[in-house]
Amino acid sequence: MHALTAASLALALSGSVSAHGYLKYVDHKGVSYGLWEPFSDPYYSPLPLRYDRRIADNGPVTGMQSKNITCNNGGNDPTNVGIIEVAAGDVLKLVWDQWGSSHSGPVMTYMAKCTPNCASFKGDTGSPWFKIDQFGYDATKNPPWGSDYLARQGAWWKVTVPPTIAAGEYLLRHEILGLHVASIPNEAQFYPSCVHLRVTGGGSDNPSGVALPGAYDPQDTGGILIALYQINNGEKIYTAPGGPVWSKAAAPLQTAAAPSAQAYSATSFAPSVRGAATSTTTSRAATSTTTTTSRAATTLATTATTRSTTGTTTRTTTPVTTSRTTTGSTGGTVGAWGQCGGIGWTGGTVCVSGYTCKVLNDYYSQCQ
């Protein structure tokens, strides 16, 4: 499959599953570090250099007791991943490709020190994780749910690398938990991403204590097995799962009563092509340049547009099948994990091939 065809497919898919999303960039001091894009990256050769663990698609992890909960569906492969150099105390902007506010729930961020390094560490055994940030439900904010706040401010989130942690390599695990159908056991939807960091400076703290899998209980009626309306109506107090934020974590950065929408625009890119050399053609621009080792704003400021409109791309690629296959939607067909029914629903009701419209409650049916 040519890159152009793959990119066109990616754009069709992204439109059909607009309620879901994945972490797309980490912005560190104005430099955008590209993360795995599941609907286009598998079709490129050489594979792009990304700074997080691969994910299968933009769908959720629903089996919270499986090892997929650690770093999402995708195998949690720690090899061949770039690492972002940061200092303790630095602020990172975590940018999602999109997020729909219909999937209300908390936003949580954890870290775990990689032993001996992130190229071999998976974090799916023991209790290496510690929470550095979270926004669950806060009635004083508008909107009160962390994920809705993230969506309204432009589908991004800011966190601070804890100032006193010891230097070394870490996984940064950022996650949204969608609770829109969580009143049904094991239907809560988790969207985690694991980014590789190398932290310098700092102090001597080596926190840990949270197990993933292990920290999330399907029967947790305070944070997972809940009905959103009960929280929204003040009938129950919400407590995000995974325990409290580590006591020495920096203060949260999402503090305004109402966020102001400010869509993220990447202007400076970190290297994103793995294995590029003088004999390798890696151009994605219409001019067919070679040996592209960084994503200049002039060629890749908006990757979706560049990949889909390029008329003379020279890249040839080999298709790679991910673990969940979807196709673009036309004529009202609903993509994977999209809404397909419910009281008051006026959209499509027929799921793409391989998916069935499942009734989750009177107001929400979903292609699964």
Side-chain angles (χ1 to χ4, degrees):
M1 182 182 294
H2 291 290
L4 182 62
T5 304
S8 300
L9 174 61
L11 290 173
L13 286 168
S14 65
S16 67
V17 285
S18 59
H20 293 75
Y22 55 88
L23 201 59
K24 185 174 183 179
Y25 296 116
V26 172
D27 183 300
H28 179 232
K29 297 184 176 179
V31 177
S32 301
Y33 291 82
L35 307 182
W36 186 256
E37 298 186 31
F39 299 121
S40 58
D41 284 354
Y43 298 95
Y44 283 83
S45 178
L47 291 176
L49 176 63
R50 299 307 191 198
Y51 295 84
D52 66 335
R53 305 280 167 89
R54 298 184 193 183
I55 59 174
D57 52 34
N58 64 354
V61 178
T62 55
M64 66 196 79
Q65 293 177 306
S66 77
K67 290 189 176 183
N68 286 332
I69 198 64
T70 311
C71 292
N72 211 322
N73 305 306
N76 193 8
D77 183 0
T79 61
N80 299 315
V81 179
I83 193 161
I84 305 173
E85 305 276 349
V86 302
D90 280 354
V91 174
L92 304 176
K93 180 179 280 191
L94 309 174
V95 183
W96 290 71
D97 75 314
Q98 61 184 345
W99 188 256
S101 60
S102 63
H103 287 31
S104 298
V107 178
M108 300 174 285
T109 308
Y110 301 79
M111 291 181 71
K113 193 166 189 180
C114 298
T115 53
N117 53 53
C118 288
S120 59
F121 177 76
K122 301 190 75 169
D124 57 7
T125 60
S127 303
W129 299 94
F130 57 100
K131 189 181 287 184
I132 65 167
D133 176 78
Q134 78 176 9
F135 182 157
Y137 181 86
D138 185 341
T140 67
K141 290 186 170 61
N142 180 24
W145 283 105
S147 66
D148 298 346
Y149 195 100
L150 177 148
R152 186 176 295 183
Q153 74 175 359
W156 51 262
W157 201 256
K158 283 186 176 181
V159 297
T160 303
V161 179
T164 64
I165 58 173
E169 294 188 7
Y170 289 83
L171 284 185
L172 178 81
R173 181 184 180 277
H174 180 62
E175 172 181 55
I176 294 176
L177 167 55
L179 296 171
H180 50 296
V181 290
S183 59
I184 302 171
N186 291 306
E187 291 294 337
Q189 297 186 355
F190 297 83
Y191 298 82
S193 293
C194 288
V195 178
H196 289 204
L197 301 180
R198 181 178 290 116
V199 178
T200 60
S204 58
D205 287 331
N206 285 287
S208 62
V210 177
L212 294 164
Y216 295 160
D217 180 359
Q219 301 303 315
D220 175 8
T221 57
I224 296 176
L225 186 61
I226 66 165
L228 275 176
Y229 77 88
Q230 292 183 308
I231 310 300
N232 295 335
N233 293 341
E235 299 174 20
K236 292 184 66 174
I237 296 175
Y238 182 75
T239 302
V245 173
W246 179 47
S247 61
K248 293 187 179 181
L253 297 175
Q254 277 69 218
T255 58
S260 56
Q262 187 177 12
Y264 178 78
S265 178
T267 57
S268 178
F269 296 90
S272 63
V273 179
R274 179 179 297 120
T278 55
S279 61
T280 303
T281 300
T282 57
S283 171
R284 299 180 190 173
T287 54
S288 255
T289 57
T290 60
T291 320
T292 301
T293 56
S294 63
R295 300 171 75 175
T298 55
T299 59
L300 287 174
T302 52
T303 57
T305 301
T306 302
R307 294 176 188 169
S308 61
T309 60
T310 297
T312 59
T313 181
T314 58
R315 179 184 297 278
T316 57
T317 58
T318 302
V320 177
T321 302
T322 57
S323 61
R324 190 178 295 139
T325 302
T326 60
T327 58
S329 62
T330 57
T333 302
V334 181
W337 304 103
Q339 185 173 358
C340 57
I343 296 174
W345 174 247
T346 58
T349 58
V350 179
C351 299
V352 295
S353 177
Y355 289 79
T356 301
C357 189
K358 180 179 178 182
V359 176
L360 300 180
N361 57 48
D362 290 343
Y363 295 90
Y364 193 89
S365 299
Q366 185 178 66
C367 291
Q368 297 185 4

